[in-house]
Amino acid sequence: MKMLYILIITIPMLFFGSIHGYAQPKECPVLSELEKTSIKDKKEVIEALNTLIPKTYGTGLDDFPDMYTKWDVVTAYPFPKTVGNKDDEDYFGMAKTFCGKEIAEKSWLVRLDFPKAPGANLAQGQIFLAKSKEKGWFVWFRYH
């Protein structure tokens, strides 16, 4: 299975160059501006999604204008809590690679399902969140 995963990642890189260019946050959060959070903040994270998801995804695409208006939370954990969960732990590695271990450890993974979306690619979303000491919760990276 790992070999298949490596081939899926490697072959497109041979033809299209590095994937790194378009799977990268525009900028990383500033560590000193982040608030420390814990799993106890999960309810607060879920509530913040009501504002964050429309800002991050909009409502939909031309052919599917309300595609992102309904969502289900698949996962909502601080990144350190994803260790040992094979479906989520790789995202922690991505966050550490993108912005460093300290930022990743103060961030959350939220995996979403958009039931109105056509097809698996559009129906799944992954966002990385952190909490600013001054401005509250924000999305610093949208993977899908």
Side-chain angles (χ1 to χ4, degrees):
M1 187 67 178
K2 276 191 175 184
M3 182 59 97
L4 178 61
Y5 178 74
I6 290 168
L7 287 173
I8 290 170
I9 297 298
T10 306
I11 290 172
M13 289 173 60
L14 295 173
F15 295 102
F16 302 110
S18 174
I19 289 175
H20 205 67
Y22 43 90
Q24 182 84 5
K26 290 180 184 167
E27 61 183 56
C28 291
V30 176
L31 182 61
S32 63
E33 295 175 5
L34 297 182
E35 191 171 307
K36 184 176 177 170
T37 62
S38 74
I39 194 66
K40 294 176 185 175
D41 298 304
K42 186 171 184 171
K43 183 178 178 187
E44 187 179 321
V45 169
I46 301 296
E47 289 173 5
L49 294 176
N50 291 319
T51 303
L52 297 173
I53 290 174
K55 277 189 202 175
T56 304
Y57 288 92
T59 56
L61 304 172
D62 290 340
D63 292 339
F64 303 97
D66 66 343
M67 176 169 68
Y68 296 125
T69 58
K70 180 172 175 18
W71 63 85
D72 298 310
V73 176
V74 177
T75 295
Y77 288 114
F79 272 118
K81 292 284 186 192
T82 66
V83 174
N85 179 328
K86 79 175 185 115
D87 291 334
D88 297 335
E89 189 173 12
D90 288 341
Y91 295 107
F92 188 24
M94 286 175 61
K96 288 189 280 189
T97 298
F98 291 155
C99 294
K101 183 180 178 188
E102 294 84 5
I103 298 289
E105 288 179 342
K106 287 192 170 187
S107 297
W108 284 62
L109 167 66
V110 175
R111 290 178 46 230
L112 303 161
D113 178 60
F114 296 101
K116 291 184 177 184
N121 278 348
L122 294 174
Q124 298 174 9
Q126 301 87 22
I127 52 178
F128 299 1
L129 309 176
K131 188 173 184 183
S132 164
K133 291 175 183 175
E134 299 204 3
K135 298 179 183 174
W137 292 99
F138 66 97
V139 174
W140 63 264
F141 181 64
R142 171 185 160 184
Y143 187 57
H144 280 119

